[in-house]
Amino acid sequence: QVQLVESGGGLVQAGGSLRLSCAASGRTITNYFMGWFRQAPGKEREFVASASSSGRITSYTDSVKGRFTISRDNAKNTVYLQMNSLKPEDTAVYYCAAKYGYDWYGSRESDYWGQGTQVTVSS
């Protein structure tokens, strides 16, 4: 079993920054793709970013490219999402996810999900 716990969410003004953290426990995440998804009220959960097991290969949804950066520290069993130049449309609950062996490639199916952390961007 892998438990994922997100932290770092909060309220920030447009143009500001936040760094989300996802701490994994139970197993090492060395063999997992790690990712971030988000869900706004009334909307489907959407893919935001992912990183391969080494962190060398990353993927981002178009709306966050150039603003968000995913990274991971396998020694700490932790994945991060640095969010810069935040916009009100980034407001959502952000979920950490783990998927064994393969990237999401447009899917929303994960082996493990965190509980989510709220990010609110004011205008």
Side-chain angles (χ1 to χ4, degrees), residues 15-95:
S17 298
L18 287 172
R19 189 177 79 154
L20 305 183
S21 298
C22 174
S25 61
R27 295 177 181 173
T28 66
I29 58 172
T30 302
N31 296 321
Y32 290 83
F33 274 73
M34 300 297 297
W36 290 93
F37 290 72
R38 65 187 181 187
Q39 187 168 22
K43 295 185 177 181
E44 294 183 336
R45 190 170 299 186
E46 67 170 340
F47 170 81
V48 176
S50 68
S52 64
S53 59
S54 68
R56 186 173 64 86
I57 302 171
T58 59
S59 182
Y60 301 90
T61 192
D62 286 344
S63 64
V64 308
K65 286 182 178 177
R67 300 190 298 121
F68 291 10
T69 302
I70 188 171
S71 61
R72 60 191 292 166
D73 186 340
N74 288 341
K76 296 182 178 179
N77 233 30
T78 301
V79 62
Y80 306 94
L81 185 68
Q82 179 67 46
M83 305 186 294
N84 298 327
S85 301
L86 282 162
K87 304 175 181 180
E89 51 263 44
D90 295 318
T91 295
V93 176
Y94 283 71
Y95 296 90

